[in-house]
Amino acid sequence: MNTFNKSVIIVGGGPVGLALSLVLSKYKIPSLILETREAPTSKDESRAITWMPRGLEFLEWLGMSKQFHEKGVLRVLHQFENNKGKLLGWSFDRLETPYQYSLQLPQHDTEVILEDAARKTGMVEIRRGHKVMEVSQTKDKVGVKVQSKAGEYELFAPLGVGCDGANSVTRTKLGIHKNWKDYGMDSAVADFDMECDLPKDVSNIVLDPSRPYGFFYFAPGRWRFIYRINKGESREEATSSEFVSILLKERMPDAEVRRMLWASAFRLGQGQSQTYRKGRWILTGDAAHAMGPSAGAGMMVGMLGTWRLGWRLALAMKQHKNFSSFLDDYSKEQRVGADEIQNNNALIFRNMAITNSLLARGRSLLLRTISNISAIGQIAMEKEALLGQILPVDLSIDQIRPVGSTPLKKSGKWVMGKRAPYFLEEKDFHPIQQLSLEHTLISIGRYQPEEENKLFADIHKDIDFPVYKDLLIPKEQSNYRQESKDFIFALVRPDQHVVSIFKTKI
């Protein structure tokens, strides 16, 4: 049976695919998810557990923050130790965001919450047990060949997105090459139902050169134990119940262990697809950029990718004349964001690989030294929280530079390519809580509302993509304004990144 569907086809119904369907639903764009698995990730196989602050801002934009906070537990501090004690502690409490913590939640709960919300939109069809065998495309449509219990069928649609993980069938069938960086080492994760005396809101990472390890609380009564697999140990042996239980007992002798829930080994490596777009097919999540298991970064980068991609897909579905360029910009910008996280992960992986005691002592000395430099901790936590990413938006198709204006790279805390700033002390106006589904112009310079609106009207009429009908005008003394004799405007995307800053005079 061959059928044409007017929805966006999403291959893969994990957290990223489900999130993309919800983003599209906000734009009234229907989607069809094809997922091989019959059910969400098992309750005991938690996999991705961490929502970083920027991911929590995304949930707020989706209108789903409450559901996740009702289920999740909070982490407020990263603590690094060696065998002699604490080396370094970095806290979330200085970040300019409403979410000065990370939220831990089993992947099962993430998928259940997102799937329930997606079905309730009336815009999302989810077909579980439907395995995509082939993908194809023509100039004006994409195609998939699907295997289900009822038999094989073909389906066609205007656009397709591969969200089907690191071993993506979509990427493989499209002939897109994946580059792989291997760090020459395996690590493992084991989840336990247990009680222990470690603080539940702190990640405990011990940089022991003989075997680095860490503990993370992620759900009521549940702890994650991560550790390096050393040379001479097989992956099967190192994830066996007997092996892991002995390791745990050595490092946590007083823990009350009820049962081991799940264990898995991972190769410390990272993948990058040669391109994130081929014609009418787009890749996102691990299908585009496979991350090593590190601090929940993989799922978060994929989630933020759906936010950056969703409004572009909506324009494509509505046949905007520049939709192809919008999709190309997604590919360019998302790659830079993914590269940044992969570079951060590489530092972590190289530290996990240290076995030389002399190098380990040098690392400990360095960590103790930088623990006293607050600026380094601030920058490190902004990276960890994914709040400081600067995308390469220069020359993007939606960047505007009105005639007679002067383009700026930054103005105060407004930085081109970075997410709109957030001042915790501001009481009346927070852009990331007021932006619409369209691009938004915000006046951030000279305060003179009547003239600001006149300038806005002239600028607005020359923009050919959706821009919110009103200018956002912070109060005269707002932290979001810059003292200036000029009028300064910032154009902010629906994903809250600043794409243009320019100043002009009457």
Side-chain angles (χ1 to χ4, degrees):
M1 179 179 68
N2 294 347
T3 306
F4 185 82
N5 194 299
K6 294 182 180 180
S7 304
V8 173
I9 290 179
I10 298 174
V11 182
V16 172
L18 291 166
L20 178 60
S21 75
L22 284 165
V23 175
L24 290 172
S25 74
K26 290 178 75 72
Y27 291 96
K28 306 304 179 186
I29 301 296
S31 58
L32 168 61
I33 295 176
L34 300 168
E35 169 56 49
T36 302
R37 297 171 302 155
E38 296 281 357
T41 299
S42 164
K43 288 184 178 181
D44 290 343
E45 192 178 326
S46 294
R47 296 192 178 272
I49 61 173
T50 303
W51 285 83
M52 284 298 172
R54 184 65 178 137
L56 296 174
E57 291 178 358
F58 171 53
L59 289 179
E60 180 181 310
W61 183 85
L62 281 177
M64 299 188 65
S65 179
K66 181 180 178 182
Q67 296 97 305
F68 278 78
H69 280 78
E70 286 174 346
K71 288 275 189 178
V73 298
L74 307 187
R75 185 184 303 155
V76 299
L77 180 71
H78 284 319
Q79 183 164 293
F80 298 87
E81 306 170 15
N82 64 10
N83 292 330
K84 296 181 180 180
K86 180 181 173 181
L87 296 171
L88 176 66
W90 278 337
S91 172
F92 290 89
D93 64 2
R94 295 182 62 197
L95 298 178
E96 293 284 1
T97 174
Y99 305 104
Q100 295 181 322
Y101 50 82
S102 64
L103 185 78
Q104 319 311 307
L105 190 71
Q107 184 167 321
H108 169 84
D109 292 330
T110 289
E111 290 183 11
V112 168
I113 293 170
L114 292 175
E115 181 168 341
D116 180 63
R119 291 186 186 278
K120 286 178 178 176
T121 65
M123 304 291 294
V124 183
E125 180 185 355
I126 301 173
R127 297 183 186 178
R128 287 196 172 274
H130 288 241
K131 183 177 182 179
V132 172
M133 309 298 291
E134 298 285 345
V135 301
S136 61
Q137 63 181 316
T138 64
K139 184 180 178 181
D140 57 1
K141 63 185 177 183
V142 301
V144 289
K145 185 178 288 185
V146 185
Q147 181 68 51
S148 71
K149 288 181 178 179
E152 195 173 272
Y153 64 93
E154 285 189 285
L155 186 65
F156 299 92
L159 290 164
V161 184
C163 301
D164 47 343
N167 298 315
S168 170
V169 171
T170 308
R171 184 188 63 240
T172 301
K173 296 298 183 180
L174 288 171
I176 298 174
H177 178 68
K178 180 177 75 172
N179 297 312
W180 180 259
K181 291 182 181 178
D182 192 291
Y183 295 90
M185 184 178 60
D186 293 315
S187 67
V189 56
D191 292 345
F192 284 87
D193 181 0
M194 71 178 194
E195 296 296 335
C196 67
D197 59 3
L198 289 174
K200 295 177 178 179
D201 58 354
V202 176
S203 63
N204 297 272
I205 302 156
V206 181
L207 299 172
D208 180 351
S210 66
R211 191 190 302 273
Y213 64 93
F215 287 98
F216 305 86
Y217 184 70
F218 68 91
R222 298 198 167 190
W223 289 83
R224 171 154 293 178
F225 177 35
I226 63 168
Y227 53 96
R228 187 180 68 206
I229 299 176
N230 287 334
K231 288 183 178 180
E233 297 170 350
S234 71
R235 291 160 63 106
E236 292 74 21
E237 172 196 8
T239 53
S240 67
S241 177
E242 180 181 8
F243 185 98
V244 179
S245 296
I246 291 171
L247 273 187
L248 180 65
K249 188 68 174 176
E250 290 172 350
R251 286 151 182 80
M252 197 71 65
D254 297 327
E256 179 190 335
V257 180
R258 289 181 281 270
R259 64 186 177 110
M260 188 174 86
L261 304 170
W262 170 73
S264 183
F266 300 90
R267 187 67 174 174
L268 286 187
Q270 304 188 111
Q272 267 287 10
S273 296
Q274 196 172 36
T275 180
Y276 293 178
R277 182 190 176 204
K278 191 167 185 177
R280 289 180 168 266
W281 280 102
I282 302 97
L283 302 177
T284 195
D286 282 354
H289 36 67
M291 304 285 173
S294 174
M299 182 174 72
M300 286 298 93
V301 175
M303 289 291 175
L304 298 182
T306 70
W307 203 0
R308 296 164 188 161
L309 178 60
W311 60 269
R312 293 172 160 101
L313 286 174
L315 290 177
M317 289 292 283
K318 294 171 183 177
Q319 294 298 304
H320 187 280
K321 66 178 183 178
N322 290 323
F323 81 82
S324 186
S325 295
F326 278 113
L327 295 177
D328 284 340
D329 284 345
Y330 156 77
S331 187
K332 176 183 69 175
E333 293 167 16
Q334 181 69 3
R335 178 176 295 278
V336 169
D339 278 342
E340 180 184 326
I341 301 305
Q342 290 196 339
N343 290 337
N344 292 341
N345 283 350
L347 292 174
I348 295 171
F349 297 159
R350 291 188 181 106
N351 269 285
M352 288 185 68
I354 291 176
T355 57
N356 182 285
S357 59
L358 185 61
L359 289 176
R361 285 198 295 272
R363 175 183 60 194
S364 296
L365 178 62
L366 176 63
L367 290 177
R368 284 198 182 98
T369 301
I370 66 175
S371 68
N372 297 317
I373 305 174
S374 60
I376 293 178
Q378 178 78 7
I379 293 169
M381 290 308 292
E382 281 191 359
K383 284 182 175 291
E384 179 84 1
L386 302 177
L387 295 174
Q389 287 197 321
I390 299 178
L391 305 179
V393 300
D394 200 27
L395 303 181
S396 296
I397 194 68
D398 56 335
Q399 187 171 79
I400 61 171
R401 292 172 172 170
V403 174
S405 69
T406 303
L408 305 173
K409 292 289 186 182
K410 63 180 296 185
S411 180
K413 286 198 173 183
W414 294 85
V415 179
M416 201 170 76
K418 194 172 181 178
R419 153 265 212 192
Y422 195 101
F423 293 94
L424 289 170
E425 65 271 23
E426 180 77 30
K427 301 302 180 186
D428 299 316
F429 178 84
H430 289 297
I432 69 170
Q433 294 178 333
Q434 298 191 34
L435 299 180
S436 71
L437 293 174
E438 302 163 317
H439 284 56
T440 305
L441 264 170
I442 304 174
S443 181
I444 61 172
R446 177 180 169 186
Y447 181 78
Q448 196 173 341
E450 185 175 342
E451 298 300 331
E452 291 168 87
N453 275 311
K454 285 181 181 177
L455 287 167
F456 169 73
D458 289 338
I459 296 166
H460 190 278
K461 65 181 175 58
D462 291 328
I463 303 174
D464 68 353
F465 51 85
V467 177
Y468 187 58
K469 62 182 178 64
D470 295 322
L471 176 69
L472 291 192
I473 305 179
K475 290 183 178 179
E476 187 170 9
Q477 302 304 318
S478 171
N479 290 302
Y480 291 95
R481 284 193 178 274
Q482 318 301 309
E483 287 189 18
S484 175
K485 65 181 183 302
D486 300 310
F487 295 100
I488 307 175
F489 298 92
L491 179 67
V492 184
R493 290 171 169 170
D495 57 28
Q496 300 176 352
H497 277 268
V498 181
V499 68
S500 293
I501 306 172
F502 54 90
K503 66 179 180 180
T504 186
K505 298 179 180 179
I506 293 294

